[in-house]
Each structure stands twice: as C-alpha cells, then as structure tokens.
Amino acid sequence: MRLITIDDYNSKTMQLARPVFDKHKRVLLAAGRSIHPTYLEKLKQMDIHYLFIEDAVSFGITMDEVLDMPTWIDAIGVIQQASQSIEKKQEFPIREIQKLAGRIVEETIKRKAIVLIPTSYLEEELRLYAHSVNVALLTIQLAKMRTLTPVQLRDLAVGALLHDIGKAITKDYEQHPSAGFDFLRKHREVSLLSAHVCYQHHERFDGKGFPRGLKEEQVHEFAQICAIANGYENALSKDKMAPHQAIEWMMTKNGSEFSLELVQLFVQGVPMYTPGSRVVLNNGRAAIVTKVVANLQRPIVRYLDNQEEVSLSDNHTLLIAEVIKNEGSAQ
C-alpha cells in the first residue's frame, strides 16, 4: 500500500487500498476496486487530492504508522460534532472529546511513528476537523518523548483536538485562539492546561505571534508542541509538501517560530521518508520505503529492480538522494 496523488492514479496497475469518503463521511468508493475514469474525474471535481492504492510496487507495505481509517473518520466526526454544537448552541460533547483524547494517546503510544493522512484526502467540508485530529496525533507523538503523566498526555490531547474550536465562534482568524480559550475555560471538565494549548498555539518563539505576542518560555511548552504539529500539518495538507520537505521547512523556523530544542525533538520523532515513498539512493538505484523501524530517518527500503530489502540503518554509506514526487520525476 502507498499514498499517491490522484493525478498519479493508473487504473490498469492500481486498486484502492482504503476507501474514499464523501463529505457526509459515507463510503463513496470501497477498497479493493479500480476506479473508473468517470469516477476519477468526479473525485477530482470534489477536490480530493490523494488516494491509498495497492500495486506491484507497493506490495506487502502495510503502513501501520497510519491510523486505521474507521478510527480516523470516527475521530473527525467527534470534532465535527463539537464544532457544530457551538454553532447550534447545543450541549458541548466534552465527554466524547475526552474519550477521543484517550484513544489518540493510546493509538500514538503503541506506534513507533505516526504518519498522517493529509486532510485533502477528504472533501473541503471535513478538512478543518481532520486537521484537528492530525494535529492531536502529531502533538502526542512529540509529547511521548517527554516524561509526562497519563493525565498530562490526555489534557494535551484535548487541547490539541480543540486548538481550533474558536473558529466555530468567530470568523476573525487572529481572534480564534482567544475565543476558543474563553469558551473552554467556562467548562470545568476542561483543564486550564488544555485551554491554554488552544489559547497559545499561534504564539511564536520570537514573540511575533498572536493573540498576545508572548515569546520563549512565556509560551507554555505544550502549546509550543501543538504549534509545531499545527505548522507541519498545514505544510503537509494545505501546502501539499512531501514529509521531507515539510520537515526541512520546519527546521528553517529554529529560533523564530519554534524553539531549537522542540524542532530537534520534532526531527527525532517524525519520519522524513514514510512507507510507500519512492526514492532514489545515492548509488543511483530506485527503491521504495517499506518500513520505519529503529531510526526514523534511516528506513528500510526495497530496490525496485530486484526486490531486495536494505536497512539504511545498517548501511551507513547509503543515503536517500531524491524523493520521487510522481511516477515520472524526482526531487
């Protein structure tokens, strides 16, 4: 299995590995089938950018680092319900949020690494909610490298899941952290820590963020972790960067948007080359990443010419020279 852009889909050699959903979270196209050109064009009109596919190149790649699709879709539904409860002035589903936070922590802890599904895998109507779920997954992926209690991890997950809840209250972009904070602190079931993750996730290490222009240690570390996750997820989903490009972009933000220490933590905890990525090594041979094991930046790859698997962790002279962006080019 691998994730491809919809423009790279080839009905003669590929089948869907995971279902495609509509804006109501219903299965539009099931896994295990090829996509008729008419349906493929419809997906493009729906502005869906990515597909999970199986083909000969990706045979045997499981992508266990990716959250299973039913869990991801259910999580998106919980965040959607929370947002709509505010808009409709209904009871806020805090217990469902807390349960989801626990599930996010559980799913992240049991994996060596987390690989995100870009929100543009879905229609526009679901992307804001999917973004919040992705940010929470990545936030906990980074936080688990700290010495935190289960309660701290859960509270951090709640804050990350609700970091954009203010967007259901105000259309003023620079006011949504404050609006979300004011809303959350009125709910006694939400910890002040969770509320501050929402409040401070747009503050910057250099003090040029909003809403208060806090800097360095004035910004709670948990909010800084959420901010890094937020930046990476936007680079991946909105700017359509490949994971290695998004990480390189994050590294340029040392000392400006983010602290050097947390960026280093990020690089240690997030793989640049995800399973299913097609690459060219410095020996000129094309390969595909099959697994991320001990060293997240030194994965196991499989040569495309003879199917031999090689661990880059065990072969220190082998380097990934290029990532193949589509079926006919490298970068």
Side-chain angles (χ1 to χ4, degrees), residues 9-247:
Y9 181 76
N10 185 330
S11 61
K12 296 179 180 179
T13 61
M14 300 175 182
Q15 285 190 333
L16 281 176
R18 290 194 172 188
V20 177
F21 298 85
D22 66 13
K23 63 183 179 182
H24 302 293
K25 303 184 292 295
R26 300 175 302 201
V27 174
L28 191 62
L29 293 173
R33 57 174 292 176
S34 59
I35 306 176
H36 188 277
T38 301
Y39 285 114
L40 190 66
E41 188 57 36
K42 179 177 174 62
L43 295 181
K44 291 179 180 179
Q45 292 172 2
M46 293 165 63
D47 198 35
I48 289 175
H49 290 269
Y50 295 97
L51 301 168
F52 281 102
I53 61 94
E54 293 271 11
D55 62 358
V57 173
S58 62
F59 178 76
I61 298 175
T62 58
M63 296 192 73
D64 295 330
E65 300 82 2
V66 178
L67 199 64
D68 68 88
M69 197 60 73
T71 299
W72 192 57
I73 292 296
D74 287 348
I76 291 167
V78 172
I79 302 303
Q80 182 179 28
Q81 178 192 1
S83 180
Q84 291 177 347
S85 74
I86 295 174
E87 296 166 355
K88 297 177 181 179
K89 302 187 184 309
Q90 298 172 343
E91 182 180 358
F92 190 66
I94 188 57
R95 290 190 178 180
E96 286 78 4
I97 293 290
Q98 290 172 332
K99 288 179 183 177
L100 175 57
R103 185 69 184 274
I104 291 287
V105 171
E106 176 187 331
E107 292 288 340
T108 308
I109 292 294
K110 73 182 184 182
R111 290 172 167 84
K112 172 69 176 178
I114 283 288
V115 172
L116 300 181
I117 306 171
T119 64
S120 44
Y121 182 84
L122 300 169
E123 288 191 78
E124 177 65 36
E125 288 87 344
L126 295 176
R127 290 179 189 173
L128 177 61
Y129 315 123
H131 166 75
S132 293
V133 173
N134 282 353
V135 167
L137 286 166
L138 191 57
T139 294
I140 300 305
Q141 172 67 12
L142 301 181
K144 75 183 186 183
M145 301 168 70
R146 296 299 212 200
T147 306
L148 302 181
T149 67
V151 171
Q152 287 175 315
L153 285 172
R154 186 204 64 192
D155 286 348
L156 178 51
V158 168
L161 285 167
L162 298 177
H163 76 279
D164 272 342
I165 199 66
K167 290 182 177 179
I169 301 168
T170 178
K171 300 302 180 185
D172 186 330
Y173 182 73
E174 293 201 358
Q175 291 302 314
H176 80 269
S178 299
F181 174 72
D182 289 341
F183 174 81
L184 292 177
R185 66 177 178 169
K186 294 175 183 176
H187 289 75
R188 62 178 183 174
E189 303 94 339
V190 178
S191 76
L192 197 57
L193 170 62
S194 301
H196 271 90
V197 170
C198 170
Y199 195 20
Q200 297 181 354
H201 75 279
H202 276 297
E203 302 289 357
R204 290 171 45 129
F205 191 71
D206 60 8
K208 297 180 180 179
F210 62 88
R212 298 172 63 199
L214 303 178
K215 67 178 182 178
E216 299 179 3
E217 68 278 358
Q218 292 176 329
V219 184
H220 196 287
E221 182 185 54
F222 289 2
Q224 292 186 52
I225 291 174
C226 182
I228 287 180
N230 186 54
Y232 176 84
E233 209 292 319
N234 279 326
L236 204 70
S237 293
K238 288 187 177 180
D239 300 331
K240 299 179 180 59
M241 294 185 192
H244 74 285
Q245 292 174 317
I247 289 177

Side-chain angles (χ1 to χ4, degrees), residues 1-2 57-66 112-115 270-279 281 287-303 307-314 320:
M1 178 169 64
R2 61 188 173 117
V57 173
S58 62
F59 178 76
I61 298 175
T62 58
M63 296 192 73
D64 295 330
E65 300 82 2
V66 178
K112 172 69 176 178
I114 283 288
V115 172
V270 179
M272 296 182 78
Y273 309 107
T274 56
S277 300
R278 286 158 47 97
V279 298
L281 303 185
I288 187 168
V289 177
T290 59
K291 297 175 186 174
V292 175
V293 191
N295 187 330
L296 297 192
Q297 311 310 349
R298 303 286 290 170
I300 295 174
V301 303
R302 182 170 67 214
Y303 286 123
Q307 307 305 304
E308 176 191 1
E309 284 204 345
V310 177
S311 169
L312 298 189
S313 292
D314 297 334
I320 292 175

